[in-house]
Amino acid sequence: MPEQMNALPSLWFNTDDHAPADRLDAMNELGHGLYDYRRAARASRADGRKEKGPTLRLRAFSLGGVAASSFENSLLATRSTGRLDPAFNEMMFLRVIWKGRVLAQSGDTQALLLPDSIHLMHARHTLPRIEEGSGISLRLSYDSVGYDPSRHPRIMSFRTDGWIGQAVVAAGRSLFQSLPTLTPAKAKALEPSLIALVRALMSSDRLDDEAHASLSAVRAAAMKRYVLKHLLDDDLQARRLQSVFHASRATVFRAFEDVGGVARFVRQQRLEAVYRELRTVTPRRGIIRQIAEKYGFPDQCAFFRAFRSCYGLRPSDVLAGCRVARGAPLRDATAPSMLGVPNLASFWSSNGAGNPPAEAA
């Protein structure tokens, strides 16, 4: 869709424009080495509809000092590749989820982003799981909103039922309704008002301020680190965590509730460990079975089904060096697109006055 004369520079990406088999390739061409995308494990759907694969619908705008994007996606996981512009070290994202649930991680801090909250987070964050969600994102500098990394958490959540929260949500909705026809001059005049709202939000009481420092949050993070260090153990179950951390079954359940439970978290981490080894090991006869059994997958049929469901490829494809979204060789940002997909990095550098690329959901 051609942009109107004098309208803001914008970019549109929709996986519906690509065949299901090409969706992950198209998303990774969009990121061009800035983000890795992969298919996320999906919770069962109550309505029983057939899932067609990961989806991403993204509209991004350059307002000058503020970058804005709206997104709608499902079955998708994404993380930073580490090739982000150095300016991201001084950037925050304000995220409002309209619907769905998104698990975000920044450093050692995790948060479940839900529709009843507004979230501010460091730009170098990952979104390990997006079951299904839609929302908006604004990229702002530390200085503009008064963020101090030495005293503010990496992820902050704010209520939407107070007047400041309501004002931010209302401003976000109004902004994204007007962006398609907004001129650069009007956007520049709007920037101070947006930044002032976020600064007011920063000085208000945080929804999760106590949670960040609570024993339960610290214990939950410790339990997950313990799992990662003991993936080869046969008895890595909730009962063992209860014993090691002197916690009740309910406490362990709550610690892993945001990742689908202990069993699901262990299974996912073991699949990721298998994938990492397949990417680096020297191919030889029987190596796939050997690595699968090493990480607790003795049933080869069940392992192959789980692996393909998670990554969209067979283990032998990864062993042979086929690219998959997560852990793929980083793309050259100057490489031509094979699927006619726009390049976020080029878009922001050419239309955003040198600003770093926009958040890609």
Side-chain angles (χ1 to χ4, degrees), residues 41-61:
R42 178 63 180 271
S44 59
R45 299 178 64 102
D47 60 8
R49 285 180 295 166
K50 183 178 180 181
E51 180 56 60
K52 296 182 179 179
T55 62
L56 170 61
R57 299 178 184 91
L58 171 72
R59 190 69 185 267
F61 297 87

Side-chain angles (χ1 to χ4, degrees), residues 89-277:
N89 289 326
E90 302 295 328
M91 290 288 172
M92 296 292 291
F93 282 119
L94 180 145
R95 186 180 294 272
V96 180
I97 306 297
W98 299 140
K99 65 177 182 180
R101 43 191 285 136
V102 177
L103 176 66
Q105 180 170 335
S106 184
D108 294 332
T109 305
Q110 282 192 338
L112 193 60
L113 313 189
L114 298 172
D116 60 351
S117 301
I118 301 167
H119 309 276
L120 270 171
M121 63 191 69
H122 191 279
R124 288 185 178 274
H125 70 276
T126 61
L127 300 173
R129 188 180 76 243
I130 302 176
E131 293 181 357
E132 186 170 0
S134 64
I136 60 172
S137 181
L138 298 178
R139 192 201 70 226
L140 312 108
S141 70
Y142 282 3
D143 290 341
S144 68
V145 299
Y147 176 80
D148 182 352
S150 67
R151 63 186 183 88
H152 289 125
R154 294 179 68 89
I155 300 179
M156 294 172 286
S157 296
F158 305 86
R159 294 186 182 276
T160 56
D161 54 3
W163 74 267
I164 296 178
Q166 290 176 3
V168 171
V169 170
R173 289 188 183 278
S174 177
L175 173 67
F176 278 87
Q177 287 173 357
S178 62
L179 278 174
T181 57
L182 206 61
T183 64
K186 289 181 178 179
K188 190 66 177 176
L190 184 63
E191 269 189 55
S193 298
L194 288 173
I195 291 172
L197 274 176
V198 179
R199 290 186 73 93
L201 193 68
M202 288 282 294
S203 63
S204 67
D205 293 331
R206 290 193 300 274
L207 172 64
D208 288 337
D209 195 27
E210 294 181 3
H212 279 291
S214 69
L215 176 61
S216 60
V218 173
R219 179 180 287 177
M223 287 182 181
K224 288 166 184 171
R225 289 195 297 270
Y226 182 88
V227 167
L228 294 177
K229 291 180 180 179
H230 294 83
L231 289 177
L232 299 180
D233 296 358
D234 294 333
D235 61 338
L236 195 54
Q237 302 171 5
R239 185 175 299 177
R240 178 169 172 183
L241 292 172
Q242 288 177 244
S243 175
V244 171
F245 289 90
H246 305 286
S248 67
R249 183 176 181 83
T251 297
V252 174
F253 175 81
R254 285 193 296 270
F256 288 85
E257 186 176 16
D258 60 348
V259 290
V262 176
R264 183 173 179 177
F265 182 76
V266 170
R267 177 175 173 271
Q268 181 64 32
Q269 296 305 316
R270 283 174 169 170
L271 283 171
E272 294 191 9
V274 170
Y275 175 75
R276 288 193 297 269
E277 286 210 20

Side-chain angles (χ1 to χ4, degrees), residues 23-79:
R23 284 182 172 182
L24 281 175
D25 283 340
M27 282 185 270
N28 281 287
E29 286 204 5
L30 174 77
H32 270 277
L34 298 173
Y35 301 97
D36 274 346
Y37 293 99
R38 66 178 175 88
R39 180 187 177 98
R42 178 63 180 271
S44 59
R45 299 178 64 102
D47 60 8
R49 285 180 295 166
K50 183 178 180 181
E51 180 56 60
K52 296 182 179 179
T55 62
L56 170 61
R57 299 178 184 91
L58 171 72
R59 190 69 185 267
F61 297 87
S62 171
L63 284 72
V66 175
S69 61
S70 61
F71 61 90
E72 180 181 352
N73 44 26
S74 64
L75 259 181
L76 185 63
T78 178
R79 67 178 55 202

